[in-house]
Amino acid sequence: MADENKWKPEGTNGEEEDEEDELDDTAYKSAKDAVLFAIDISPSMLTAPPQSDLKKADQDSPASAALKCAFTLMQQRIISSPNDMMGILLYGTEKTKFREEEDNKAHMGLAYPHCYLLADLDIPAAADVKALKTLIEDEVEFQKLLIPSEQPASMSNVLFCANQIFTTKASNFSSRRLFIVTDNDDPHERNKALKASAAVRAKDLYDLGVIIELFPIAKPGGDFDRAKFYDDIIYNESPTNPEAPAPISKATKASSAGNGITLLNSLLSSINSRAVAKRALFSNIPLEIGPGFKISVKGYIIFKRQEPKRSCYVWINGDKAQIAKGVSAQIADDTARQVEKGEIRKAYKFGGEQVTFTPDEISSLRHFGDPGIRIIGFKPLSMLPMWANLRPSTFIYPSEDDYVGSTRVFAALHQKLLHDQKMGLTWFVARKNAAPVIAALVPGAEKLSEEGDQLLPAGLWLIPLPFADDIRQNPETQFISAPDKLIDMMRVVVQQLQLPKAEYRPEKYPNPALQWHYRILQALALEEELPEKPDDKTIPKYRQIDKRTGAYVTEWGFELEAQYQSWAQANRSASTTTLAKRPASSAIKSEGEPNKRVRLAAEDMSDAEMQRHVKAGTVSKLTVATLKGWLLGRGLSVGGRKPELVERVEGALDGD
């Protein structure tokens, strides 16, 4: 890969890691992202919904809800993404403010009328969060600031102002995005010149690498029509393009009756779904469909377990706290001398001895080819078992960087696999010196929510499959099948406990341990009161469960007891015979006379069947009773452990 070193952790200096079975996503998670909110301050955005006594009534105006969303996102990022920047720009305000004069002498001649930079684009600090929180909670200051101008703000000026902010504050960030929150679908209804000027400014932002994302709010009794203005400034690229903006979602509706889901929750859901920027885990890897037929793809992590940020050591004796970086060194045992890097060789134990290798030898041992994905065949999708998903899957998109036409070929491959319900078997090397993986190339269809928001994109998934060494033998167990009546009664219980629409939605269940960790850090950083207990939404709702299934479970318990008594009565004689002490005459048998259980097993397994097991290499999967029964039938010894029995069976048949 051209940019393989880009994704290696700092401090490696190109040194190959000892183990690279999994993709290194350290830099993937630490890539910088800058988000600037542009919130429309117009009379309609400041109109609060009618008062209502309903529990779920809307209480916030659209502008207030947007500011609270920005505040919530700032709270999250101050801890979970400490390297990301965030800013808030209000437009359509009576007051105008860009930056303080002493900090921006170079911008003295620039004027952005009716644009108010509430929070400059920067890494959020605790003071910034406190200030924004104070503004939201103080209605007097809130009303003084949010006074709409008589003349609407020019979208050209708004976009140019955003351009200047991104250029001066986040010029080298890999991800820069502008979130526009408004309920006005046509800000320049009768002025084509202003529309054209805004389109030019939007094109400048896209050329700069800034992605514009719209969060529309539909006014009561109407819809938000993107075609009037925003289709000209927001590029709706193909969903197979990884650099395209997030999929378009339906407009959030402002409540006119004060009931239903709140506007704030709707906005939070929409913004959170796009709060994390798309970041490629690997870039421009060739996907070889056939000999000499390659396209270029990028890989993304769609599902990633989130954990608290690692703690670090801090030096506090200076002017301000600084992170202390650790340095490790190799020391010789006999002389306590620091050993230089060139003096060290890697060794592995084999047969009680240390076998050493030079770095070049290690590199050659670990080299299985250049990074890439090679399709080696196709199989029906039904042949992929659920347990075969060994590690997190990787989502791949086409890229036109190395091979022109990759998007068209990728789309054709995806549609064909999806239509025929096929999967590709691939040989996958993620990066240089990485261990090869056999992976299933599985097509995925686009999945939308009821509101039209995209839940899962359409594309291909790379699912790592286990090798033979990764599969363990199942333990030998004896199962007792439940009666049909018990099964039917339990089916009713399960049906009563199904999730809504029989679907698990992870966005409804935040990780309680992770949220509690961040909540404590937030309270300490912002000097808030410490919470008493975590908000754990994974705790079962016992009262509702009892109300729905209590009677069914009790009835099932009585039936289980009755079925058990019947089973115990039927098997009592057999269990008594097994546990009772036998007379000496019946306990002593000749070596060639098998007991009843072994004799039955011996009768079930013929020599021809055993021969087939030997050829297939599945003798070790037979039970001990079956092996002993077959050996007794041949007049062979049945002593020893199972591996000895297997060896004895294979030796007997090899001699036939």
Side-chain angles (χ1 to χ4, degrees):
M1 291 181 292
D3 57 347
E4 62 176 326
N5 291 327
K6 177 181 178 182
W7 302 109
K8 292 187 177 179
E10 297 179 0
T12 58
N13 296 324
E15 179 185 0
E16 302 297 343
E17 300 176 1
D18 291 341
E19 298 292 340
E20 298 199 27
D21 289 341
E22 296 188 8
L23 294 175
D24 174 26
D25 60 352
T26 304
Y28 162 81
K29 292 188 292 185
S30 62
K32 295 180 179 180
D33 179 36
V35 172
L36 177 64
F37 274 84
I39 302 175
D40 184 12
I41 304 300
S42 61
S44 58
M45 287 285 288
L46 295 174
T47 303
Q51 294 294 329
S52 174
D53 296 331
L54 295 178
K55 186 177 180 180
K56 295 184 178 181
D58 284 340
Q59 302 294 334
D60 302 307
S61 66
S64 176
L67 282 172
K68 289 183 178 180
C69 286
F71 169 71
T72 302
L73 187 60
M74 186 179 289
Q75 279 184 311
Q76 296 171 355
R77 293 201 165 201
I78 194 174
I79 297 174
S80 62
S81 304
N83 295 324
D84 290 353
M85 286 187 175
M86 184 174 165
I88 302 174
L89 174 67
L90 308 179
Y91 68 92
T93 57
E94 185 66 30
K95 295 182 179 180
T96 298
K97 174 188 173 184
F98 181 64
R99 288 191 176 114
E100 299 296 336
E101 293 182 359
E102 59 269 24
D103 295 333
N104 292 276
K105 294 181 180 179
H107 297 280
M108 289 289 291
L110 295 179
Y112 306 104
H114 309 306
C115 292
Y116 192 94
L117 189 58
L118 180 63
D120 203 355
L121 188 65
D122 205 342
I123 297 175
D128 300 326
V129 180
K130 289 180 183 179
L132 183 56
K133 182 180 180 181
T134 302
L135 174 64
I136 293 175
E137 295 178 349
D138 190 342
E139 294 186 3
V140 177
E141 291 297 326
F142 188 82
Q143 296 297 333
K144 287 182 180 179
L145 177 62
L146 301 185
I147 300 177
S149 59
E150 295 181 1
Q151 296 294 329
S154 168
M155 290 304 298
S156 174
N157 281 338
V158 174
L159 297 176
F160 187 44
C161 180
N163 190 319
Q164 292 297 320
I165 294 173
F166 282 116
T167 302
T168 56
K169 302 292 289 189
S171 58
N172 61 344
F173 274 44
S174 57
S175 171
R176 291 173 289 183
R177 295 176 295 162
L178 176 64
F179 289 0
I180 299 179
V181 185
T182 181
D183 64 351
N184 188 356
D185 56 7
D186 193 5
H188 303 306
E189 184 177 358
R190 299 180 178 85
N191 197 323
K192 294 183 178 180
L194 289 179
K195 284 186 178 182
S197 178
V200 172
R201 295 300 186 188
K203 182 64 168 58
D204 293 341
L205 280 172
Y206 278 106
D207 292 341
L208 189 64
V210 177
I211 302 299
I212 302 177
E213 298 188 8
L214 178 66
F215 296 90
I217 299 175
K219 297 178 181 179
D223 293 325
F224 193 99
D225 188 358
R226 301 168 190 267
K228 292 181 179 179
F229 176 76
Y230 284 98
D231 280 352
D232 294 332
I233 69 168
I234 297 180
Y235 298 167
N236 300 325
E237 301 186 45
S238 169
T240 56
N241 185 349
E243 309 302 335
I248 293 177
S249 59
K250 292 184 178 179
T252 303
K253 291 186 177 296
S255 176
S256 58
N259 54 12
I261 187 170
T262 65
L263 173 65
L264 176 60
N265 288 339
S266 301
L267 270 179
L268 274 174
S269 175
S270 182
I271 289 175
N272 283 335
S273 66
R274 285 180 270 179
V276 180
K278 296 178 182 178
R279 295 165 180 163
L281 183 60
F282 56 77
S283 299
N284 303 329
I285 278 187
L287 170 59
E288 184 177 347
I289 302 176
F293 183 21
K294 299 179 180 179
I295 63 175
S296 181
V297 296
K298 292 184 178 182
Y300 296 83
I301 292 181
I302 303 295
F303 303 102
K304 176 69 178 178
R305 178 178 174 83
Q306 295 298 308
E307 298 176 352
K309 291 291 181 179
R310 294 180 58 184
S311 59
C312 55
Y313 295 101
V314 180
W315 183 64
I316 59 175
N317 291 333
D319 295 336
K320 62 178 182 178
Q322 301 180 36
I323 296 178
K325 295 183 178 180
V327 178
S328 60
Q330 304 288 339
I331 305 296
D333 282 340
D334 51 354
T335 62
R337 178 181 63 89
Q338 182 173 341
V339 181
E340 298 296 331
K341 183 178 176 180
E343 303 178 72
I344 300 176
R345 298 183 66 175
K346 294 183 179 180
Y348 296 91
K349 278 189 176 182
F350 184 81
E353 297 182 0
Q354 297 282 358
V355 182
T356 62
F357 296 90
T358 64
D360 292 339
E361 289 172 339
I362 289 289
S363 179
S364 63
L365 286 173
R366 295 170 54 193
H367 183 70
F368 285 89
D370 295 329
I373 306 170
R374 184 186 306 122
I375 296 180
I376 57 179
F378 297 94
K379 291 287 184 181
L381 198 56
S382 58
M383 294 186 66
L384 181 65
M386 182 182 297
W387 52 261
N389 201 334
L390 190 64
R391 290 201 296 268
S393 57
T394 304
F395 189 72
I396 59 174
Y397 268 143
S399 171
E400 298 285 334
D401 293 344
D402 291 343
Y403 299 96
V404 177
S406 295
T407 302
R408 180 174 297 180
V409 175
F410 183 92
L413 176 64
H414 169 260
Q415 293 172 11
K416 181 62 176 175
L417 292 177
L418 195 62
H419 179 269
D420 294 348
Q421 288 296 291
K422 299 282 187 180
M423 67 174 178
L425 290 179
T426 64
W427 171 269
F428 175 37
V429 178
R431 58 178 182 171
K432 186 178 179 181
N433 288 342
V437 175
I438 296 294
L441 191 65
V442 178
E446 183 182 32
K447 188 175 181 181
L448 302 176
S449 67
E450 294 180 351
E451 294 77 20
D453 296 334
Q454 188 184 70
L455 299 178
L456 282 178
L460 297 175
W461 299 82
L462 272 177
I463 301 178
L465 302 178
F467 290 105
D469 318 71
D470 303 323
I471 301 177
R472 299 181 180 181
Q473 185 176 354
N474 292 331
E476 295 183 9
T477 56
Q478 182 179 3
F479 296 99
I480 300 176
S481 298
D484 292 340
K485 187 174 182 180
L486 271 181
I487 296 174
D488 293 338
M489 294 177 68
M490 180 53 67
R491 183 178 292 111
V492 176
V493 175
V494 173
Q495 290 173 348
Q496 292 296 322
L497 293 178
Q498 278 192 353
L499 293 171
K501 300 181 180 178
E503 182 181 19
Y504 170 70
R505 301 187 64 179
E507 65 271 12
K508 290 189 174 182
Y509 304 98
N511 185 337
L514 189 67
Q515 297 300 321
W516 180 243
H517 173 82
Y518 284 157
R519 185 68 186 89
I520 293 295
L521 290 182
Q522 174 185 316
L524 294 175
L526 302 181
E527 299 178 357
E528 299 175 347
E529 292 185 4
L530 291 176
E532 296 182 358
K533 60 180 181 179
D535 182 16
D536 189 356
K537 294 186 178 180
T538 64
I539 297 177
K541 299 178 179 179
Y542 296 107
R543 291 185 178 179
Q544 293 185 13
I545 292 175
D546 181 66
K547 184 177 180 180
R548 286 187 176 186
T549 65
Y552 297 112
V553 172
T554 303
E555 185 180 354
W556 183 86
F558 288 132
E559 181 63 26
L560 175 63
E561 180 66 23
Q563 293 286 353
Y564 171 74
Q565 295 296 338
S566 301
W567 177 87
Q569 183 69 27
N571 292 272
R572 183 169 298 171
S573 58
S575 61
T576 303
T577 304
T578 303
L579 297 176
K581 185 174 181 180
R582 296 178 180 178
S585 59
S586 62
I588 301 175
K589 294 180 178 289
S590 63
E591 183 177 351
E593 183 181 358
N595 59 34
K596 183 178 180 180
R597 179 182 176 186
V598 174
R599 183 183 292 114
L600 291 175
E603 292 174 358
D604 292 339
M605 182 63 67
S606 65
D607 290 352
E609 291 176 341
M610 186 63 76
Q611 185 69 46
R612 285 196 292 271
H613 281 290
V614 171
K615 291 182 179 180
T618 58
V619 179
S620 60
K621 295 185 178 181
L622 299 176
T623 63
V624 173
T626 301
L627 296 174
K628 285 185 176 182
W630 188 88
L631 288 170
L632 285 173
R634 298 289 296 258
L636 300 175
S637 173
V638 294
R641 294 179 176 273
K642 185 176 181 179
E644 298 173 359
L645 299 178
V646 172
E647 185 178 356
R648 205 170 295 145
V649 169
E650 293 176 344
L653 290 175
D654 288 343
D656 289 349

